[in-house]
Structure formats: C-alpha cells, structure tokens
Amino acid sequence: MNRHVCGATLLCSTVLFQVLAFSDAFSLSMKTPSFQSERRNFIRTVAITSSILIQESSNAAVLPSTGAKAPDFELPNSRGEKTTLDSLTRNGKWTVLYFYPGAFTSGCTLEAIGFQRDIEKYRSLNAQIVGVSVDPVEKNAQFCTEEKLDFYMLSDFDGKISKLYGSALSIPGFGTFSNRQTYLIDPQGYLRWVFTDVESRVPRHSAEVLEKLQEVQKEA
C-alpha cells in the first residue's frame, strides 16, 4: 500500500473512531429501538463511505516527486489577494505548504495553532507557512482571524490543486476535500519533502516539520 493510501486509511479510521465514540456516548441517553436502529444504519453508512474513500484514494493522483518542481498554482488567499507558487518563491523563502480538510474542525484547528505557536522558529529558518483547503475565502479569513494566525490560507474551491499535489480525497455525496498533508518547497520552487502521515501526528506535526526543514536545508 502506498503512502497516499496509508494517509487516507488513517483519516478514515480516525473519522470512524470519532463517530463511534460520539454515537456510543450519545446513545446512553437514547435507548429507544428506533434510535438504535438509526444508529446502526448511520455507522454502516460511515463504514461503507470510509471503504469507498480508501479505494478511490488508491486511484487518486500520484504524489509529486521530491526533487522536482512543485506543481504551479494560482489561488485566492484569506487576505483577499491572489497567491501563486511564483509569488511564494519570489521572496527567496522556503514554503511550508500544508493541506487540511476544513477550517474550525478540531484537528485542523490544532494543526494551525501548532504552526502559529512555532511561527518565529519558522521565520528564523527563512520559512513561511501557507495553508490550503477547499473552504471558501470568507471561511478561511474568519478562521485566521478567530485563531489569530499570522499566516494565510488558500481556497482551492474545486480541489484541482489538491489533486495536482496528490492530496485530494473524493467522498461520494460530499465532494472533494484536501487530505492532511504537508509539503516543503525550497526558494527555487522545488519540492524537497512530503509529509503524508499527518492525521495521526497532528499535535507534534509542527515540531516534526521544523526538524525536517532544518535537515533538508542543510542538504540543499
């Protein structure tokens, strides 16, 4: 199983575990036969969707190769401007481009707060943080404001850029989302590292990114 499918599997497992935990807790006060039947049907639907998601992810776009040029893009950011790969590399900085499923969800909030907590460490390494999701500009802007983030988010409305980066998850009936993956791009626009196993490591992800960033900078 490749790294992309492993990431999707971890995401599905996490979502299913959270749904089951919530459902079990809620059902303690809802013991009627009709509720229990609806609960079983709901869990079954989630399980089936998870399986489909894993299967479809195996056919998803392949991750771009490290050492090659990062896929180009132009997306609106949460500050009301357009951002391209060229505009990010033009300032001579490294870019931590991270894809996340959705603003205001618990995992995405924790991940963003982690990057914000370490923002000065990234700046000392001549690096900038940029997030990407399929959320609209307005939602991303609100997310940045409420969480007091000193970096911006890009809105990949239709998931095309997520697909280019091998980070798109298509869920039947729900649409396309960005998988939780992080990419290190050097000042020349080359992809130097890809983090695919992020979902299970969100609390320590920023620390791991900092460690790897220093490592690849020494090799560059």
Side-chain angles (χ1 to χ4, degrees):
M1 185 176 289
N2 62 37
R3 291 187 300 168
H4 188 81
V5 180
C6 287
T9 304
L10 285 167
L11 175 60
C12 293
S13 300
T14 301
V15 171
L16 185 56
F17 175 81
Q18 291 176 338
V19 168
L20 289 169
F22 172 79
S23 180
D24 286 338
F26 186 62
S27 64
L28 291 176
S29 59
M30 298 289 289
K31 292 292 186 179
T32 64
S34 61
F35 175 81
Q36 293 298 327
S37 176
E38 290 175 4
R39 174 179 177 273
R40 284 193 296 271
N41 290 335
F42 176 65
I43 292 174
R44 180 174 179 274
T45 299
V46 172
I48 292 173
T49 300
S50 298
S51 299
I52 294 173
L53 175 56
I54 294 171
Q55 181 179 2
E56 291 205 352
S57 293
S58 66
N59 299 320
V62 177
L63 286 170
S65 301
T66 55
K69 275 283 189 178
D72 200 8
F73 59 82
E74 179 178 319
L75 293 172
N77 65 41
S78 53
R79 296 175 181 174
E81 303 167 337
K82 292 287 187 180
T83 296
T84 64
L85 178 63
D86 181 65
S87 69
L88 290 176
T89 58
R90 195 181 303 150
N91 58 17
K93 294 183 178 181
W94 287 73
T95 300
V96 176
L97 188 70
Y98 82 97
F99 289 74
Y100 62 98
F104 293 108
T105 58
S106 58
C108 296
T109 300
L110 183 62
E111 185 177 23
I113 290 174
F115 283 127
Q116 178 60 40
R117 178 195 63 225
D118 298 330
I119 193 71
E120 291 304 326
K121 294 179 181 178
Y122 287 103
R123 289 171 177 167
S124 70
L125 293 172
N126 191 37
Q128 57 196 345
I129 307 293
V130 180
V132 185
S133 75
V134 300
D135 291 322
V137 171
E138 296 77 13
K139 185 175 182 180
N140 277 335
Q142 183 183 4
F143 184 48
C144 291
T145 298
E146 293 193 13
E147 298 302 332
K148 298 180 174 58
L149 304 178
D150 291 333
F151 53 89
Y152 55 75
M153 308 299 193
L154 306 182
S155 294
D156 182 23
F157 300 113
D158 51 14
K160 285 184 178 180
I161 304 306
S162 297
K163 291 175 183 176
L164 280 178
Y165 276 79
S167 184
L169 292 177
S170 296
I171 305 178
F174 291 90
T176 298
F177 298 87
S178 300
N179 193 10
R180 200 182 304 284
Q181 296 180 172
T182 300
Y183 303 74
L184 300 184
I185 302 172
D186 72 17
Q188 287 72 48
Y190 288 90
L191 184 61
R192 294 304 179 187
W193 193 262
V194 182
F195 294 85
T196 55
D197 182 14
V198 179
E199 191 65 42
S200 64
R201 311 168 72 88
V202 172
R204 58 185 181 277
H205 183 51
S206 181
E208 293 177 338
V209 172
L210 282 167
E211 182 179 354
K212 179 57 66 174
L213 178 60
Q214 294 177 75
E215 182 182 317
V216 297
Q217 285 182 338
K218 291 177 181 177
E219 298 172 351

